[in-house]
Amino acid sequence: MSNAIHHIAVPANEPVMSYAPGSPERKALKEALHEAKSKEIELPAFINGKRILEGEKVSAHPPHEHKHTLGNFYRGTKEHVHQAIDAALGAKESWAATPWHERAAVFLRAADLLAGPFRAKMNAATMLAQSKNAFQAEIDAVAELCDFFRFNAYFLQEIYREQPLHSPRGIWNKLEYRPLEGFVLAITPFNFTSIAANLPAAPALCGNTVVWKPAETQIYSAVVIMELFEAAGLPPGVINLIYTDGPVVGDIVFKHRDFAGLHFTGSTGVFQQLWKEIGNNITTYRSYPRIVGETGGKDFIVAYKDADPVQVAVACLRGAFEFQGQKCSAASRAYISASIWPAVKERLLADMKTLKMGSVEDFGNFINAVIDERSFDKIAKYIDGEKANPKAEIIAGGGYDKSEGYFIEPTVIVSTDPKSTTMCEEIFGPVLTLYVYDDADWEKTLELVDNTSPYALTGAVFATDRNVIDQATKALANAAGNFYVNDKPTGAVVGQQPFGGARGSGTNDKAGSALNLTRWISPRLIKENFNPPVDYRYPFLG
């Protein structure tokens, strides 16, 4: 039995590979893409370490090539939910009793496997199933996920180090950090493979066992994640991956006595409904469930009159159109000072003319497809609405075509109405709406930015004058959980920019930091008295 005090060094962020022409990583990724497209595979659920191929058969297709079939998954039943819960509860005692450094070792090993032999496979899965270009897949499915695994292990160690500040002579005060009592449900989105993996992995690292329900459009890469966990030595039953419809899962999970927590990323409406269901069943549970959620955003860029127009234009393009605007942090509304607008417009339109759109297999394409037909139709409806709006002008893009894939041109709208539909509502697609304000209306514009949206996820200010930057930072204190100065509002890095927002954007529990992990542990204080009293009488009684 080891009695060593194990130490995890401060991690470094996983380097992002370039995939430049002629590079070995580009060659390996091309081969992985070819391999994945050359065959249809079965995509099993994973319950208690067993691969399950039961239920309604559903095919998976690349969003950019929807006539091609990558494989088939099987939509689960109520029985699969019960089996997954039983598996999680069955694995609970053993996993919770596993020394923390052994749990950490699983995820540290997963990071190294992902950075090595799984790298091309994970990237290829994310590119094909979620229509991400090579760079967007690399920063998500490999670099960020490696960082989640490594930094979370380090953060957990630092949490465990926190002990009571004082133990007087004769007393020993100790804190131990238990997992939650029960199982955790992880509900994950399509847009980030790293989020899909981290939402079940973070509670599991803390000693919890998990039922994981992914978005159907992310199942292809979710299977690779489970293969990675298995290769890293994760015991059966710790994380159980199921494909049952969300309402069916919720109806069973949220009525279960041992439901202990929800780790969620998705839409605000769904999150609020789940919260209501949990509240309605609160007397059912053994303990108060932890509810952690990151939801929508209507993220902004606001540029002052002394901002660099080129920097603003590049931030608008990257912030709004990388991964087709399907990031919860994507810039979808911008407020540009009238004095710099002509220069911003000139650079933005010039750059947009160079954007190529098409399949992820062509590495020259900056823009790929949106995730599915439902999303395509929703975004197209917003664009058509602005085409008919006399207060709006589409100055770039506006086209769309779903004959081969769900392609929507990056679209820039200039609106004279700062409360127009596309300035206020979350679109989750490649649509940026700009409002040009008079220089004299700077302070009013800050109020407008703060009050336009119910969300508060990310935002950015561009300015040179330090007093102006300070003014904006204070005025927008509650408008964004991640606030950027002279940078686009996307691309948070684990260990550098803990991610999350408040208001309608979630519980702001900051993924990529120790703050998130504290939600998956339940501390116990142990006070030990080495010399207990033998007389009840206190001195004041004398």
Side-chain angles (χ1 to χ4, degrees):
M1 178 178 181
S2 173
N3 58 7
I5 299 175
H6 301 275
H7 174 70
I8 298 173
V10 179
N13 292 111
E14 175 65 23
V16 176
M17 292 187 173
S18 71
Y19 297 91
S23 64
E25 66 267 19
R26 186 183 181 107
K27 180 176 182 292
L29 182 53
K30 287 279 192 178
E31 291 173 353
L33 288 166
H34 177 75
E35 171 70 13
K37 280 201 71 180
S38 67
K39 57 188 178 182
E40 287 186 22
I41 63 172
E42 298 291 271
L43 301 166
F46 290 74
I47 300 175
N48 204 26
K50 297 178 181 178
R51 286 161 164 76
I52 309 296
L53 293 167
E54 300 171 349
E56 178 191 354
K57 186 176 181 179
V58 183
S59 56
H61 311 274
H64 48 274
E65 191 181 347
H66 51 61
K67 294 178 183 177
H68 180 83
T69 301
L70 292 169
N72 304 285
F73 68 91
Y74 296 81
R75 192 171 286 135
T77 64
K78 291 190 291 185
E79 185 58 31
H80 292 145
V81 183
H82 289 295
Q83 291 172 359
I85 293 172
D86 290 344
L89 293 176
K92 174 75 177 178
E93 184 176 354
S94 174
W95 183 242
T98 300
W100 78 269
H101 57 273
E102 299 292 353
R103 299 198 307 268
V106 171
F107 296 100
L108 292 173
R109 185 182 183 191
D112 283 0
L113 290 172
L114 178 58
F118 274 81
R119 192 179 208 114
K121 183 176 183 179
M122 190 71 82
N123 273 334
T126 301
M127 291 171 70
L128 292 173
Q130 291 138 269
S131 203
K132 288 199 171 188
N133 62 40
F135 179 72
Q136 291 297 310
E138 170 75 5
I139 61 175
D140 161 29
V142 174
E144 184 170 59
L145 186 48
C146 286
D147 289 349
F148 273 134
F149 291 156
R150 291 172 179 147
F151 278 89
N152 280 350
Y154 173 78
F155 292 142
L156 188 64
Q157 167 189 262
E158 297 307 292
I159 291 170
Y160 286 170
R161 288 186 193 277
E162 288 290 323
Q163 293 296 315
L165 293 175
H166 182 56
S167 291
R169 180 172 295 180
I171 300 293
W172 191 8
N173 295 316
K174 297 172 283 187
L175 269 175
E176 67 175 21
Y177 296 91
R178 306 165 298 179
L180 306 182
E181 193 173 11
F183 68 93
V184 172
L185 172 65
I187 298 179
T188 63
F190 78 85
N191 58 337
F192 280 91
T193 297
S194 57
I195 295 175
N198 184 57
L199 264 57
L205 173 67
C206 298
N208 297 282
T209 52
V210 183
V211 175
W212 174 19
K213 163 69 175 75
E216 288 193 350
T217 43
Q218 193 267 328
I219 284 174
Y220 190 85
S221 51
V223 169
V224 182
I225 292 168
M226 287 302 296
E227 292 172 350
L228 174 67
F229 287 155
E230 285 186 335
L234 187 71
V238 174
I239 295 176
N240 302 278
L241 176 65
I242 58 172
Y243 308 141
T244 307
D245 281 341
V248 177
V249 174
D251 187 58
I252 297 170
V253 167
F254 297 139
K255 293 177 182 177
H256 200 289
R257 178 173 180 260
D258 291 306
F259 169 63
L262 170 66
H263 208 186
F264 175 91
T265 295
S267 76
T268 299
V270 170
F271 187 54
Q272 291 176 349
Q273 182 58 40
L274 299 183
W275 197 304
K276 287 179 183 178
E277 290 186 40
I278 294 168
N280 289 337
N281 292 307
I282 199 67
T283 57
T284 302
Y285 307 128
R286 185 190 294 267
S287 57
Y288 292 104
R290 304 289 176 87
I291 305 176
V292 176
E294 191 264 295
T295 58
K298 188 63 181 175
D299 310 299
F300 61 85
I301 292 174
V302 56
Y304 187 64
K305 63 184 179 182
D306 67 356
D308 183 318
V310 173
Q311 294 175 355
V312 174
V314 171
C316 285
L317 190 152
R318 283 187 169 183
F321 301 129
E322 287 183 329
F323 188 41
Q324 298 75 257
Q326 296 173 121
K327 301 181 181 183
C328 45
S329 59
S332 61
R333 55 184 173 123
Y335 305 79
I336 312 296
S337 170
S339 60
I340 65 169
W341 168 237
V344 171
K345 179 181 180 181
E346 181 181 7
R347 177 57 185 264
L348 179 60
L349 295 184
D351 280 349
M352 290 192 66
K353 289 178 181 178
T354 69
L355 296 180
K356 291 178 61 181
M357 179 170 67
S359 169
V360 299
E361 294 173 76
D362 180 349
F363 282 28
N365 290 328
F366 188 92
I367 303 295
N368 310 113
V370 298
I371 191 64
D372 57 19
E373 186 171 25
R374 179 182 176 185
S375 179
F376 176 96
D377 291 344
K378 175 187 171 184
I379 299 165
K381 186 176 180 180
Y382 275 109
I383 292 173
D384 288 344
E386 291 306 279
K387 287 177 179 177
N389 182 357
K391 294 183 178 181
E393 179 188 4
I394 296 177
I395 63 171
Y400 48 81
D401 185 347
K402 61 179 178 182
S403 58
E404 295 183 7
Y406 303 115
F407 292 106
I408 296 182
E409 292 178 348
T411 299
V412 178
I413 301 164
V414 177
S415 177
T416 59
D417 178 8
K419 291 296 184 76
S420 67
T421 300
T422 59
M423 287 292 289
C424 298
E425 295 183 12
E426 184 184 36
I427 300 173
F428 220 67
V431 179
L432 172 66
T433 305
L434 295 155
Y435 174 70
V436 181
Y437 68 91
D438 291 337
D439 291 2
D441 290 338
W442 168 246
E443 292 186 2
K444 292 181 181 178
T445 301
L446 292 179
E447 294 177 8
L448 190 63
V449 173
D450 187 46
N451 296 324
T452 292
S453 168
Y455 301 106
L457 191 53
T458 73
V461 60
F462 279 79
T464 300
D465 188 317
R466 198 71 225 177
N467 287 330
V468 169
I469 293 171
D470 181 58
Q471 179 187 24
T473 302
K474 291 174 180 175
L476 301 173
N478 294 306
N482 281 51
F483 187 71
Y484 297 80
V485 177
N486 292 321
D487 199 5
K488 63 182 175 67
T490 63
V493 177
V494 176
Q496 298 185 37
Q497 297 99 26
F499 188 79
R503 291 183 179 169
S505 292
T507 57
N508 203 18
D509 285 297
K510 295 299 185 192
S513 78
L515 294 170
N516 182 276
L517 295 185
T518 60
R519 300 303 308 278
W520 310 117
I521 55 181
S522 180
R524 179 168 74 151
L525 182 283
I526 300 173
K527 174 188 175 183
E528 183 172 356
N529 193 335
F530 294 142
N531 187 20
V534 294
D535 190 336
Y536 84 90
R537 297 171 181 83
Y538 294 100
F540 81 92
L541 294 173

